[in-house]
Amino acid sequence: MAVIGVDDRDGISVVSVAGEIDMTCDEPIRAALTAQFDRRPAGLVLDLTDVGFFGSTGVRLVVEAATWARDQGVAFALASTRRAVLRTLDIALPDGVVDLHPTAPDAIRALRTAGVPVSH
């Protein structure tokens, strides 16, 4: 079971997931991501730093989020140092598909450096 949190960091939405990402919890995660994309943030960070299990369902969610972001012109980054996440993404996705950072603050800084504006 995944625990999902959502936060706004001056115009960048951060969707944090903790626990396991599998087919039993993909809909709540997808709903949280969709709700944030519907807000049209300048950027979105998917924080997976507290995810212990990450399989094909997680990869599908990341690819969907990256695609939505690209289609909507929303800067997107992923945060994680967890082996379960990094290893699975390394196997499943070509390099450069996702902008990956060790922590959510690092991802936010990278988006800001890339030109995502601060909104008040």
Side-chain angles (χ1 to χ4, degrees):
M1 181 68 171
V3 177
I4 304 158
V6 177
D7 190 20
D8 183 280
R9 309 269 177 92
D10 296 323
I12 295 178
S13 294
V14 179
V15 176
S16 302
V17 182
E20 300 181 354
I21 299 179
D22 58 28
M23 63 185 189
T24 65
C25 64
D26 65 329
E27 285 307 316
I29 297 168
R30 186 175 287 108
L33 288 166
T34 300
Q36 293 311 300
F37 281 117
D38 287 348
R39 292 181 54 243
R40 304 276 193 234
L44 187 138
V45 172
L46 179 55
D47 182 358
L48 304 178
T49 56
D50 291 323
V51 169
F53 177 83
F54 184 85
S56 62
T57 299
V59 172
R60 187 171 47 254
L61 287 167
V62 167
V63 169
E64 287 174 5
T67 301
W68 293 333
R70 184 193 67 230
D71 291 350
Q72 294 182 18
V74 174
F76 178 73
L78 186 70
S80 187
T81 57
R82 299 298 291 258
R83 181 174 181 190
V85 174
L86 299 179
R87 182 174 167 94
T88 303
L89 289 174
D90 188 46
I91 292 168
L93 299 179
D95 287 341
V97 170
V98 177
D99 185 20
L100 181 62
H101 302 276
T103 67
D106 290 331
I108 292 167
R109 273 191 296 281
L111 293 180
R112 294 279 186 232
T113 300
V116 174
V118 174
S119 70
H120 299 285

